[in-house]
Amino acid sequence: IARRAAGPDLAGRHVVISAGGTREPLDPVRFLGNRSSGKQGYALARTAAARGARVTLIAANTSLPDPAGADVVPVGTAVELREAVLRAAADADAVVMAAAVADFRPAVYAAGKIKKKDDQEPEPITLVRNPDILAEISAPRARPGQVVVGFAAETDDVLANGRAKLKRKGCDFLVVNEVGERKTFGAEENEAVVLGADGSETPVPHGPKEALADTVWDLVAERLG
Ligand code: CTP
Ligand code: CA
């Protein structure tokens, strides 16, 4: 149940939000990417600003209007996103990782465009793991009492997967979405459950991404006290 906040309950707070999706370059013209639009992260930024927070929005490959009053930091790759998040998190009261971070990147970046060769099959692409930013900022925290929130899109056993992931990452809250054919990616609306490390479970009914964002800030503000 979304509890609408009364007044600027995040005044004096610095919140950091990552949004969008990272792109991992193969050569100067190609990348591995994902379908994240950034809309949920931008909704988090708008609602936090409306509730009085100082907002740093780390935007990975988005094409959305800058939220009024937010400090927007554009990034491309997961490694760049990590740098920007770690820097901004140093003095943050809360960090919300809404960005879709590529789990892997090409092991090699070709400085010149990869060309076809006559009568030859393509070379396989070797991938290496990207850093897990959410796990890294969760333990140890940059500041005592800092609240860390992750997002997860799951299929199949959505809640059990979410619980396991929350524990593995070590964050305070994990917003779990069920993904399917037309759900979540690029959509204007969202439906989710916010799992708390304390065992709490806050369902958010199908509705605008602002409503989910406000529920996240309700929980963060309550935790910050
Ligand atoms: N995340 C991150 N760094 C990564 C991967 C994910 O910070 N390298 C963050 C995302 O921003 C999100 C959360 O972790 O807030 C969960 O992302 P998800 O892809 O669901 O988690 P993974 O651990 O990558 O699990 P999976 O194997 O299911 O993709
Ligand atoms: Ca992943």
Side-chain angles (χ1 to χ4, degrees):
I1 295 157
R3 289 150 291 173
R4 270 274 161 191
D9 59 346
L10 294 174
R13 302 295 191 180
H14 178 210
V15 304
V16 175
I17 300 147
S18 70
T22 66
R23 291 180 178 177
E24 310 299 324
L26 276 159
D27 71 12
V29 295
R30 305 184 180 96
F31 58 83
L32 301 180
N34 61 68
R35 294 184 186 280
S36 179
S37 65
K39 285 176 185 165
Q40 185 62 62
Y42 277 62
L44 282 155
R46 284 194 301 275
T47 49
R51 293 167 71 150
R54 174 160 81 85
V55 177
T56 302
L57 176 62
I58 301 168
N61 308 296
T62 56
S63 52
L64 296 166
D66 285 359
D71 181 10
V72 181
V73 182
V75 296
T77 65
V79 167
E80 290 167 10
L81 179 62
R82 173 180 175 273
E83 291 298 313
V85 168
L86 294 185
R87 190 172 317 122
D91 76 341
D93 296 287
V95 184
V96 182
M97 286 292 297
V101 184
D103 293 326
F104 311 110
R105 66 177 181 275
V108 184
Y109 172 73
K113 186 184 170 193
I114 299 165
K115 303 290 277 182
K116 302 186 290 303
K117 294 187 195 85
D118 283 345
D119 305 324
Q120 272 186 34
E121 291 302 312
E123 290 291 323
I125 297 169
T126 305
L127 302 176
V128 294
R129 278 182 87 128
N130 270 328
D132 189 327
I133 304 162
L134 180 60
E136 186 174 351
I137 62 171
S138 292
R141 300 293 161 104
R143 288 175 91 175
Q146 183 179 78
V147 181
V148 176
V149 183
F151 272 71
E154 298 286 347
T155 62
D156 307 311
D157 201 343
V158 174
L159 286 186
N161 288 342
R163 275 273 159 229
K165 189 168 284 182
L166 174 67
K167 204 166 175 192
R168 199 160 67 238
K169 301 281 187 182
C171 51
D172 297 295
F173 295 103
L174 189 73
V175 182
V176 185
N177 294 295
E178 183 172 0
V179 287
E181 281 288 294
R182 278 199 308 274
K183 283 185 180 169
T184 303
F185 288 113
E188 298 300 334
E189 305 213 315
N190 220 343
E191 180 182 342
V193 179
V194 186
L195 303 177
D198 58 1
S200 66
E201 219 167 85
T202 309
V204 185
H206 187 80
K209 291 189 173 185
E210 268 79 9
L212 173 53
D214 266 318
T215 301
V216 169
W217 296 128
D218 288 344
L219 294 165
V220 167
E222 190 175 31
R223 180 63 56 92
L224 287 170

